[in-house]
Amino acid sequence: MLNRWMTAGILALAIIILVGMTRVYAEKTESEAVKLEQLIKTADTAIDHVERLVIKWQGEGRGDAKEQAELLAHRLGLQQPERGVQTGHDVYRSEMVADAQHAGILVNVVVTGEKEYYAIVQLSGNEHTDLHLLTELHEQVSRLLTDSGMKAAWNFAVQGTDSTESGASSQLQQIEEQLSGEMDMKAIERYTDNSTASVSYEASDLPIAIKSGAHQLNMQLAVHQNVEQGTNRVTVGFPVITIEY
């Protein structure tokens, strides 16, 4: 259990490296909406019943953090951001929770220095979310961040359940077999314990990546077995998982 949480923490920290990976994205000329549609299709192959989707945009910017938070919140239809303090830094935050009609939107802008900030725009949905609208919102965020002078990057995670008697490793193998029929993929990093199995892959057909040592990772799969409920929780992250699995 401790190792699993440590792994999740390391991966969450590693995703910050994406901010500087402009060359990786520059090599892919399709729009952010098209990229997301491809990843949604891949996730749909891996997960039978989707329960949660999370897109996280993040990047550094220069200027007034409060003004940036207000701009993003206004353009995305959120309320005026509220000021708070996290780990000694001023934070401007506004959020709309997902419901049957709307995707969830979170704007979080942290003051990191004199006229410097770190912004996160997170989009979230569930099995009821209109994926077409989510994709349009994703493209809108891309334009907003670009227009405001930020070099931002994004990652995507999908989570769901599968009622199966298979163990975590066995189901992960089944998912690998399904996905390998649709794209070239090579396992790079693997982790297992009594209830969890996780693997990170190189899959050059996928449109986003993160560098890990000598490799570029494009996707991570994880299966966590809940013995009491008789279900497996399946999570897929592009390029890695940044939510609890």
Side-chain angles (χ1 to χ4, degrees):
M1 178 64 74
L2 178 59
N3 286 337
R4 180 166 65 88
W5 281 107
M6 290 176 65
T7 301
I10 291 170
L11 292 173
L13 178 62
I15 202 67
I16 297 174
I17 300 172
L18 280 169
V19 175
M21 293 187 61
T22 55
R23 185 165 63 88
V24 173
Y25 291 93
E27 292 172 355
K28 304 291 184 176
T29 58
E30 65 267 30
S31 71
E32 302 304 330
V34 171
K35 295 176 187 177
L36 179 61
E37 288 171 351
Q38 180 183 354
L39 299 184
I40 289 174
K41 181 180 179 181
T42 302
D44 188 55
T45 301
I47 301 176
D48 290 335
H49 179 62
V50 171
E51 296 179 345
R52 183 185 181 196
L53 306 94
V54 178
I55 305 166
K56 183 184 290 185
W57 281 92
Q58 52 192 1
E60 297 173 329
R62 295 190 61 84
D64 188 287
K66 181 174 182 291
E67 291 181 359
Q68 175 71 340
E70 290 175 346
L71 170 66
L72 294 173
H74 174 70
R75 295 287 182 86
L76 294 172
L78 304 182
Q79 295 182 351
Q80 184 81 357
E82 296 183 357
R83 177 183 173 276
V85 178
Q86 293 179 359
T87 62
H89 295 274
D90 287 344
V91 178
Y92 298 92
R93 179 186 178 95
S94 183
E95 183 175 12
M96 177 172 66
V97 179
D99 58 27
Q101 286 76 39
H102 304 95
I105 307 175
L106 167 66
V107 169
N108 200 70
V109 182
V110 183
V111 178
T112 56
E114 184 68 25
K115 295 297 181 180
E116 295 179 341
Y117 58 80
Y118 192 84
I120 295 174
V121 179
Q122 180 172 294
L123 311 177
S124 59
N126 51 42
E127 65 267 33
H128 304 297
T129 301
D130 186 321
L131 295 182
H132 178 68
L133 295 178
L134 181 66
T135 302
E136 289 184 342
L137 182 59
H138 173 63
E139 187 73 25
Q140 180 186 357
V141 172
S142 174
R143 292 193 299 267
L144 281 174
L145 296 178
T146 299
D147 292 346
S148 65
M150 288 183 57
K151 291 184 178 180
W154 58 279
N155 60 85
F156 178 49
V158 183
Q159 192 168 76
T161 57
D162 183 20
S163 56
T164 176
E165 296 180 358
S166 300
S169 295
S170 176
Q171 182 162 14
L172 183 63
Q173 183 178 356
Q174 294 174 24
I175 296 173
E176 286 180 306
E177 292 173 355
Q178 292 174 329
L179 289 174
S180 63
E182 299 188 358
M183 62 182 176
D184 292 331
M185 48 191 282
K186 178 182 178 182
I188 301 299
E189 300 170 357
R190 188 176 296 268
Y191 168 80
T192 59
D193 62 21
N194 291 335
S195 60
T196 302
S198 172
V199 187
S200 297
Y201 306 89
E202 280 187 343
S204 59
D205 291 338
L206 298 178
I208 61 177
I210 185 172
K211 190 170 180 61
S212 176
H215 303 281
Q216 287 200 95
L217 303 182
N218 303 93
M219 177 178 65
Q220 182 185 10
L221 285 170
V223 179
H224 178 71
Q225 185 178 29
N226 188 322
V227 178
E228 293 181 358
Q229 296 182 4
T231 61
N232 285 339
R233 183 167 67 244
V234 181
T235 309
V236 56
F238 307 96
V240 293
I241 296 170
T242 58
I243 60 176
E244 178 193 348
Y245 61 86

